[in-house]
Amino acid sequence: MTETPLFLRALAGEDTATAPVWFMRQAGRYLPEYMALKEKHGFWTMMREPELAIEVTLQPIRRLGVDAAILFSDIMTPLPDMGVEVAFKPGPVVAEPLRSRAAIEALRVPEQGEIAPFVGTILKGLRAASPVPVVGFAGAPFTLGCYLVEGAGSKDYGRMRGLMKSDPETAQMLFDKLATLTARYLCMQVEAGAQAVQLFDSWAGLLDAETYRRFAAPANRRILEAVGAMGVPRIMLAVDAAHLWTEIAALPCEAVSVDWRHPLSVARKAFGARAIQGNLDPAELLGAGETIDAAVDRVLHEGLGGAHIFNLGHGIMKETAPDMALRAIRRAQAFDRRNAP
Ligand code: CP3
């Protein structure tokens, strides 16, 4: 019998002897082997061609020896199946942003079998090829709505937040459609082999607690419940969202990803027995070796006292030297949580 992998034990709430390690955006532009493939094929093709997506997912596993493999894809991947045209420059750009009720009414809600079927093929291949557990993911309705309504990345996603204030009924329709899409999309990923899922509500921190409770929390709950029924652990992420921790703690999930602004020891109090994931500042990896070591140790100490998955507070920066990422990962994996000084 094979032993349950470290990453899945931590997700099950076990206070493991060492913390499993992976990094958000661990496949990407800081890796020369990624850039070589991207120059040849382009981002969309890399996400759609199973052979390429599997290769790119496994690149950081080989080079860095991380304890989990996250599907190489994007939160925007299922949106073309709703009838939305998306490009990457390099962030997502929506050809026709949803700026009217009619545009939101026109959004198609595809059946499970119609949503990015290539992602299912990629996950099946990954399960066969990956030496570590495979993580599926999706964007949460609010964060997807930010890109759909705004049309591109923005500092405050004022158009999306404005829609929620000025026309709550239309906003609700958008949340409902995106929740249905995302629940189906993640269930498909689990059927194809994802062993855990992460729901990225990256920009939820822009919302006040009441607005989060009204729109985002019920949509996220629907998605998490649908995936939970399939028996895989669920990780919830929201950046700069400590003011929403009460709401997030009420959601059905096994783990919460925490950014670098708040110590993990404080997060642990908010999330009780759940696993905590995080929270090295990605900027630390731009430093010289010694400052990285100290920062890694600080995070690991803060993470003691319950299940901890060592990760960054948000995605790895493209300026990161792969050797510095490797140094942080090795150090975290060697940290003995039972005999921490
Ligand atoms: O973590 C991984 O290694 C898996 C791959 C992954 C990508 N996007 C690949 C990607 C994941 C998990 C995502 C999720 C995603 N995409 C989120 C949620 C995570 C977060 O950061 O909060 C969001 C908000 C997006 C939207 C998005 N896609 C942005 C903002 C960008 C630009 C990123 C940048 O660094 O400029 C993208 C494009 C994108 N997604 C790239 C990658 C590797 C860069 C594309 C390129 O190589 O040109």
Coordinates of all heavy atoms in Angstrom, one line a residue, residues 95-168:
A95 N -12.6 40.6 -25.2 CA -12.8 41.3 -26.4 C -14.0 42.3 -26.2 O -13.9 43.4 -26.6 CB -13.0 40.4 -27.6
E96 N -15.1 41.8 -25.7 CA -16.3 42.6 -25.5 C -16.7 42.5 -24.1 O -17.5 41.7 -23.7 CB -17.4 42.1 -26.4 CG -17.2 42.4 -27.9 CD -18.3 41.9 -28.8 OE1 -19.5 42.2 -28.5 OE2 -18.0 41.1 -29.7
P97 N -16.2 43.5 -23.2 CA -16.6 43.4 -21.8 C -18.1 43.5 -21.6 O -18.8 44.1 -22.4 CB -15.9 44.7 -21.3 CG -14.8 45.1 -22.2 CD -15.3 44.5 -23.6
L98 N -18.6 42.9 -20.5 CA -20.0 42.8 -20.3 C -20.5 44.1 -19.6 O -20.3 44.2 -18.4 CB -20.3 41.6 -19.4 CG -19.7 40.2 -19.8 CD1 -20.1 39.1 -18.9 CD2 -20.2 39.9 -21.3
R99 N -21.0 45.0 -20.4 CA -21.4 46.3 -19.9 C -22.9 46.5 -19.9 O -23.3 47.7 -19.7 CB -20.6 47.4 -20.7 CG -19.1 47.3 -20.6 CD -18.5 48.0 -19.4 NE -17.1 47.7 -19.3 CZ -16.1 48.3 -20.0 NH1 -16.4 49.2 -20.8 NH2 -14.9 48.0 -19.7
S100 N -23.7 45.5 -20.1 CA -25.1 45.7 -20.1 C -25.8 44.5 -19.6 O -25.2 43.4 -19.6 CB -25.6 46.0 -21.5 OG -25.5 44.8 -22.3
R101 N -27.1 44.6 -19.2 CA -27.8 43.5 -18.7 C -28.0 42.5 -19.9 O -27.9 41.2 -19.7 CB -29.2 43.9 -18.2 CG -30.0 42.7 -17.7 CD -31.4 43.2 -17.1 NE -32.2 42.0 -16.7 CZ -32.2 41.5 -15.5 NH1 -31.4 42.0 -14.5 NH2 -32.9 40.4 -15.3
A102 N -28.2 43.0 -21.1 CA -28.3 42.1 -22.2 C -27.1 41.2 -22.4 O -27.2 40.0 -22.7 CB -28.6 42.9 -23.5
A103 N -25.9 41.8 -22.2 CA -24.7 41.0 -22.4 C -24.6 39.9 -21.4 O -24.1 38.8 -21.7 CB -23.5 42.0 -22.3
I104 N -25.0 40.2 -20.2 CA -25.0 39.2 -19.1 C -26.1 38.1 -19.4 O -25.8 36.9 -19.2 CB -25.1 39.8 -17.7 CG1 -23.7 40.6 -17.5 CG2 -25.3 38.8 -16.6 CD1 -23.7 41.5 -16.3
E105 N -27.2 38.6 -19.8 CA -28.3 37.6 -20.2 C -27.8 36.7 -21.3 O -28.2 35.5 -21.3 CB -29.6 38.3 -20.6 CG -30.5 38.7 -19.4 CD -31.6 39.6 -19.8 OE1 -31.6 40.2 -20.9 OE2 -32.5 39.8 -19.0
A106 N -27.0 37.2 -22.2 CA -26.6 36.4 -23.3 C -25.5 35.3 -23.0 O -25.3 34.5 -23.8 CB -26.1 37.3 -24.4
L107 N -25.0 35.4 -21.8 CA -23.9 34.5 -21.4 C -24.5 33.1 -21.4 O -25.5 32.8 -20.7 CB -23.4 34.7 -20.0 CG -22.3 35.8 -19.8 CD1 -22.0 35.8 -18.3 CD2 -21.1 35.5 -20.6
R108 N -23.9 32.1 -22.1 CA -24.3 30.8 -22.1 C -23.8 30.0 -20.9 O -22.7 30.2 -20.5 CB -23.7 30.1 -23.3 CG -24.6 29.4 -24.2 CD -23.8 28.7 -25.3 NE -24.1 27.3 -25.3 CZ -23.3 26.4 -25.0 NH1 -22.0 26.6 -24.9 NH2 -23.7 25.1 -25.0
V109 N -24.6 29.2 -20.3 CA -24.1 28.3 -19.2 C -23.9 26.9 -19.7 O -24.9 26.2 -19.8 CB -25.0 28.4 -18.0 CG1 -24.4 27.6 -16.8 CG2 -25.2 29.8 -17.5
P110 N -22.7 26.5 -20.1 CA -22.5 25.2 -20.7 C -22.7 24.1 -19.7 O -22.6 24.2 -18.5 CB -21.1 25.3 -21.2 CG -20.4 26.4 -20.4 CD -21.5 27.3 -19.9
E111 N -23.1 22.9 -20.3 CA -23.2 21.7 -19.5 C -21.7 21.2 -19.1 O -20.8 21.6 -19.8 CB -23.9 20.6 -20.3 CG -25.3 20.9 -20.6 CD -26.2 21.1 -19.4 OE1 -25.9 20.4 -18.3 OE2 -27.1 21.9 -19.4
Q112 N -21.7 20.4 -18.1 CA -20.3 20.0 -17.6 C -19.5 19.4 -18.7 O -18.3 19.7 -18.8 CB -20.5 18.9 -16.5 CG -19.2 18.5 -15.9 CD -19.4 17.6 -14.6 OE1 -20.2 17.9 -13.8 NE2 -18.6 16.6 -14.5
G113 N -20.0 18.6 -19.6 CA -19.2 18.0 -20.7 C -18.8 18.9 -21.8 O -18.0 18.6 -22.6
E114 N -19.3 20.2 -21.7 CA -19.0 21.1 -22.8 C -17.9 22.1 -22.3 O -17.4 22.9 -23.1 CB -20.2 22.0 -23.1 CG -21.4 21.2 -23.7 CD -22.6 22.1 -23.9 OE1 -23.0 22.8 -22.9 OE2 -23.2 22.1 -25.0
I115 N -17.5 22.0 -21.0 CA -16.6 23.1 -20.5 C -15.1 22.6 -20.6 O -14.7 21.6 -20.0 CB -16.9 23.4 -19.0 CG1 -18.4 23.7 -18.8 CG2 -16.0 24.5 -18.5 CD1 -18.8 23.8 -17.4
A116 N -14.4 23.3 -21.5 CA -13.0 23.1 -21.6 C -12.6 21.6 -21.5 O -11.8 21.2 -20.6 CB -12.2 23.9 -20.6
P117 N -13.1 20.7 -22.4 CA -12.9 19.3 -22.3 C -11.4 18.9 -22.4 O -11.0 17.9 -21.8 CB -13.6 18.7 -23.5 CG -14.4 19.8 -24.1 CD -14.0 21.1 -23.6
F118 N -10.6 19.8 -23.0 CA -9.1 19.5 -23.0 C -8.5 19.5 -21.6 O -7.5 18.8 -21.4 CB -8.4 20.6 -23.9 CG -8.7 22.0 -23.6 CD1 -7.9 22.7 -22.7 CD2 -9.8 22.7 -24.1 CE1 -8.1 24.0 -22.4 CE2 -10.1 24.0 -23.8 CZ -9.2 24.7 -22.9
V119 N -9.1 20.3 -20.7 CA -8.6 20.3 -19.3 C -8.8 18.9 -18.7 O -7.9 18.4 -17.9 CB -9.3 21.4 -18.5 CG1 -9.0 21.2 -17.0 CG2 -8.8 22.8 -18.9
G120 N -9.9 18.2 -19.0 CA -10.0 16.8 -18.5 C -9.0 15.9 -19.1 O -8.4 15.1 -18.3
T121 N -8.7 16.1 -20.4 CA -7.6 15.2 -21.0 C -6.3 15.5 -20.3 O -5.5 14.6 -20.0 CB -7.5 15.6 -22.5 OG1 -8.8 15.5 -23.0 CG2 -6.6 14.6 -23.2
I122 N -6.0 16.8 -20.0 CA -4.7 17.2 -19.4 C -4.6 16.5 -18.0 O -3.6 16.0 -17.6 CB -4.6 18.7 -19.3 CG1 -4.4 19.3 -20.8 CG2 -3.4 19.1 -18.5 CD1 -4.7 20.8 -20.9
L123 N -5.7 16.6 -17.2 CA -5.7 16.1 -15.9 C -5.5 14.6 -15.8 O -4.8 14.1 -15.0 CB -7.0 16.5 -15.1 CG -6.9 18.0 -14.6 CD1 -8.3 18.4 -14.2 CD2 -6.0 18.2 -13.5
K124 N -6.2 13.9 -16.8 CA -6.0 12.4 -16.8 C -4.5 12.1 -17.1 O -3.9 11.2 -16.4 CB -6.9 11.8 -17.9 CG -8.3 11.8 -17.5 CD -9.2 11.0 -18.5 CE -10.7 11.2 -18.2 NZ -11.4 11.9 -19.3
G125 N -3.9 12.8 -18.0 CA -2.5 12.6 -18.4 C -1.6 12.9 -17.2 O -0.6 12.2 -16.9
L126 N -2.0 14.0 -16.5 CA -1.2 14.4 -15.3 C -1.2 13.4 -14.2 O -0.2 13.1 -13.6 CB -1.7 15.8 -14.8 CG -1.1 17.0 -15.3 CD1 -1.8 18.2 -14.7 CD2 0.4 17.1 -15.1
R127 N -2.4 12.9 -14.0 CA -2.5 11.9 -12.9 C -1.6 10.7 -13.2 O -1.0 10.1 -12.3 CB -3.9 11.4 -12.8 CG -4.7 12.1 -11.7 CD -4.0 12.2 -10.4 NE -4.1 10.9 -9.7 CZ -5.2 10.5 -9.0 NH1 -6.2 11.2 -8.9 NH2 -5.1 9.3 -8.4
A128 N -1.5 10.3 -14.5 CA -0.6 9.2 -14.9 C 0.9 9.6 -14.7 O 1.7 8.8 -14.4 CB -0.9 8.8 -16.3
A129 N 1.2 10.9 -15.0 CA 2.6 11.3 -15.1 C 3.2 11.9 -13.9 O 4.4 11.9 -13.7 CB 2.8 12.2 -16.3
S130 N 2.3 12.5 -13.0 CA 2.9 13.3 -11.9 C 3.2 12.4 -10.7 O 2.4 11.6 -10.2 CB 1.9 14.3 -11.5 OG 2.3 15.0 -10.3
P131 N 4.4 12.6 -10.2 CA 4.8 11.9 -8.9 C 4.2 12.4 -7.7 O 4.3 11.9 -6.6 CB 6.3 12.1 -8.9 CG 6.6 13.3 -9.6 CD 5.5 13.5 -10.7
V132 N 3.5 13.6 -7.8 CA 2.9 14.3 -6.6 C 1.5 14.6 -6.9 O 1.0 14.6 -8.1 CB 3.7 15.6 -6.3 CG1 5.1 15.3 -5.8 CG2 3.7 16.5 -7.5
P133 N 0.7 14.8 -5.9 CA -0.8 15.1 -6.1 C -1.0 16.2 -7.0 O -0.3 17.2 -7.1 CB -1.3 15.4 -4.7 CG -0.3 14.8 -3.7 CD 1.0 14.8 -4.4
V134 N -2.1 16.1 -7.8 CA -2.5 17.1 -8.8 C -3.6 18.0 -8.3 O -4.7 17.5 -7.8 CB -2.9 16.3 -10.1 CG1 -3.4 17.3 -11.1 CG2 -1.8 15.5 -10.6
V135 N -3.4 19.3 -8.4 CA -4.4 20.3 -7.9 C -5.1 20.9 -9.1 O -4.4 21.4 -10.0 CB -3.7 21.4 -7.1 CG1 -4.7 22.4 -6.5 CG2 -2.8 20.8 -6.0
G136 N -6.4 20.8 -9.1 CA -7.2 21.5 -10.1 C -7.6 22.9 -9.5 O -7.4 23.2 -8.3
F137 N -8.1 23.8 -10.3 CA -8.4 25.1 -9.8 C -9.4 25.8 -10.8 O -9.6 25.4 -11.9 CB -7.2 26.0 -9.6 CG -6.6 26.5 -10.9 CD1 -7.0 27.8 -11.4 CD2 -5.7 25.8 -11.6 CE1 -6.5 28.3 -12.6 CE2 -5.1 26.3 -12.7 CZ -5.5 27.5 -13.3
A138 N -10.1 26.8 -10.2 CA -10.9 27.7 -11.0 C -11.0 29.1 -10.3 O -10.6 29.2 -9.2 CB -12.4 27.1 -11.0
G139 N -11.4 30.1 -11.1 CA -11.6 31.4 -10.6 C -13.0 31.4 -9.9 O -13.9 30.8 -10.3
A140 N -13.1 32.2 -8.8 CA -14.4 32.4 -8.2 C -15.2 33.4 -8.9 O -14.7 34.2 -9.6 CB -14.2 32.8 -6.7
P141 N -16.5 33.3 -8.8 CA -17.4 34.2 -9.6 C -17.1 35.7 -9.5 O -17.0 36.4 -10.5 CB -18.8 33.9 -9.0 CG -18.7 32.5 -8.7 CD -17.3 32.3 -8.1
F142 N -16.8 36.2 -8.3 CA -16.5 37.7 -8.2 C -15.2 38.0 -9.0 O -15.2 38.9 -9.8 CB -16.3 38.1 -6.8 CG -15.8 39.6 -6.7 CD1 -16.6 40.6 -7.1 CD2 -14.5 39.9 -6.3 CE1 -16.2 41.9 -7.1 CE2 -14.0 41.2 -6.3 CZ -14.9 42.2 -6.7
T143 N -14.2 37.2 -8.9 CA -12.9 37.5 -9.6 C -13.1 37.3 -11.1 O -12.6 38.1 -11.9 CB -11.8 36.6 -9.0 OG1 -11.6 37.0 -7.6 CG2 -10.5 36.7 -9.7
L144 N -13.8 36.3 -11.5 CA -14.1 36.2 -13.0 C -14.9 37.4 -13.4 O -14.7 37.9 -14.5 CB -14.9 34.9 -13.2 CG -14.1 33.6 -13.0 CD1 -15.0 32.4 -13.2 CD2 -12.9 33.5 -14.0
G145 N -15.9 37.8 -12.6 CA -16.7 38.9 -13.0 C -15.9 40.2 -13.1 O -16.2 41.0 -14.0
C146 N -14.9 40.3 -12.3 CA -14.0 41.5 -12.4 C -13.4 41.6 -13.8 O -13.5 42.7 -14.5 CB -12.8 41.4 -11.4 SG -13.3 41.8 -9.7
Y147 N -12.9 40.5 -14.4 CA -12.3 40.5 -15.7 C -13.4 40.7 -16.8 O -13.2 41.3 -17.8 CB -11.5 39.2 -16.0 CG -10.2 39.2 -15.2 CD1 -10.0 38.5 -14.0 CD2 -9.1 40.1 -15.6 CE1 -8.9 38.5 -13.3 CE2 -8.0 40.1 -14.8 CZ -7.8 39.3 -13.7 OH -6.7 39.3 -13.0
L148 N -14.6 40.0 -16.6 CA -15.6 40.0 -17.6 C -16.2 41.4 -17.7 O -16.5 41.9 -18.8 CB -16.7 39.0 -17.2 CG -16.4 37.6 -17.4 CD1 -17.5 36.7 -16.8 CD2 -16.2 37.3 -18.9
V149 N -16.4 42.1 -16.6 CA -17.1 43.4 -16.7 C -16.1 44.5 -17.0 O -16.3 45.4 -17.8 CB -17.8 43.7 -15.3 CG1 -18.4 45.1 -15.3 CG2 -19.0 42.7 -15.2
E150 N -14.9 44.4 -16.4 CA -13.9 45.4 -16.6 C -13.2 45.3 -18.0 O -12.9 46.2 -18.6 CB -12.8 45.3 -15.5 CG -12.0 46.5 -15.2 CD -12.8 47.6 -14.5 OE1 -13.7 47.2 -13.7 OE2 -12.7 48.8 -14.8
G151 N -13.1 44.0 -18.4 CA -12.5 43.7 -19.7 C -11.0 43.4 -19.6 O -10.4 42.9 -20.6
A152 N -10.4 43.8 -18.5 CA -8.9 43.6 -18.3 C -8.6 43.8 -16.9 O -9.5 44.2 -16.1 CB -8.1 44.5 -19.2
G153 N -7.3 43.6 -16.5 CA -6.9 43.8 -15.2 C -7.1 45.3 -14.8 O -7.1 46.1 -15.6
S154 N -7.3 45.5 -13.5 CA -7.6 46.9 -13.0 C -7.2 46.9 -11.6 O -7.0 45.9 -10.9 CB -9.1 47.2 -13.2 OG -9.6 48.0 -12.1
K155 N -7.0 48.2 -11.1 CA -6.5 48.3 -9.7 C -7.7 48.0 -8.7 O -7.6 47.4 -7.7 CB -5.9 49.7 -9.4 CG -4.7 49.6 -8.6 CD -3.9 50.9 -8.5 CE -4.6 51.8 -7.6 NZ -4.0 53.2 -7.5
D156 N -8.9 48.5 -9.1 CA -10.0 48.4 -8.1 C -11.3 47.8 -8.7 O -12.3 47.7 -8.0 CB -10.3 49.8 -7.6 CG -10.7 50.8 -8.6 OD1 -10.8 50.4 -9.8 OD2 -10.8 52.0 -8.3
Y157 N -11.2 47.4 -10.0 CA -12.4 46.8 -10.6 C -13.7 47.5 -10.3 O -14.7 46.9 -9.9 CB -12.5 45.3 -10.2 CG -11.3 44.5 -10.7 CD1 -10.2 44.2 -9.9 CD2 -11.2 44.1 -12.1 CE1 -9.1 43.6 -10.4 CE2 -10.1 43.5 -12.6 CZ -9.1 43.2 -11.8 OH -8.0 42.6 -12.3
G158 N -13.6 48.8 -10.5 CA -14.7 49.7 -10.1 C -16.0 49.4 -10.9 O -17.1 49.6 -10.4
R159 N -15.9 49.0 -12.2 CA -17.1 48.7 -13.0 C -17.8 47.5 -12.4 O -19.0 47.5 -12.4 CB -16.7 48.5 -14.4 CG -16.4 49.7 -15.2 CD -16.4 49.5 -16.7 NE -16.1 50.7 -17.5 CZ -14.8 51.0 -17.8 NH1 -13.8 50.3 -17.4 NH2 -14.6 52.1 -18.5
M160 N -17.1 46.5 -12.1 CA -17.8 45.3 -11.5 C -18.4 45.6 -10.1 O -19.6 45.3 -9.9 CB -16.7 44.1 -11.3 CG -17.3 42.9 -10.6 SD -18.7 42.1 -11.5 CE -19.0 40.7 -10.4
R161 N -17.6 46.3 -9.3 CA -18.2 46.7 -8.0 C -19.4 47.7 -8.1 O -20.3 47.6 -7.4 CB -17.1 47.2 -7.1 CG -16.1 46.1 -6.8 CD -15.1 46.5 -5.7 NE -14.3 47.6 -6.0 CZ -14.4 48.8 -5.4 NH1 -15.2 48.9 -4.4 NH2 -13.6 49.8 -5.8
G162 N -19.2 48.5 -9.2 CA -20.3 49.5 -9.4 C -21.6 48.8 -9.8 O -22.7 49.1 -9.4
L163 N -21.5 47.7 -10.7 CA -22.6 47.0 -11.1 C -23.3 46.3 -9.9 O -24.6 46.3 -9.8 CB -22.2 45.9 -12.1 CG -23.3 44.9 -12.5 CD1 -24.2 45.6 -13.5 CD2 -22.7 43.6 -13.2
M164 N -22.5 45.8 -9.0 CA -23.1 45.2 -7.8 C -23.9 46.2 -6.9 O -24.9 45.8 -6.3 CB -22.0 44.5 -7.0 CG -21.3 43.3 -7.7 SD -19.7 42.9 -7.0 CE -20.2 42.1 -5.5
K165 N -23.5 47.4 -7.0 CA -24.2 48.5 -6.2 C -25.4 49.0 -6.9 O -26.5 49.1 -6.3 CB -23.2 49.7 -5.9 CG -22.0 49.3 -5.1 CD -22.2 48.9 -3.7 CE -20.9 48.5 -3.0 NZ -21.2 47.9 -1.7
S166 N -25.2 49.3 -8.2 CA -26.3 50.0 -8.9 C -27.3 49.1 -9.5 O -28.5 49.5 -9.7 CB -25.6 50.8 -10.1 OG -25.0 50.0 -11.0
D167 N -27.0 47.9 -9.8 CA -27.9 46.9 -10.4 C -27.7 45.5 -9.8 O -27.2 44.6 -10.5 CB -27.7 46.9 -12.0 CG -28.8 46.1 -12.7 OD1 -29.6 45.5 -12.0 OD2 -28.8 46.1 -13.9
P168 N -28.1 45.4 -8.6 CA -27.8 44.1 -7.9 C -28.5 42.9 -8.5 O -27.9 41.8 -8.5 CB -28.3 44.3 -6.5 CG -29.1 45.6 -6.5 CD -28.7 46.4 -7.7

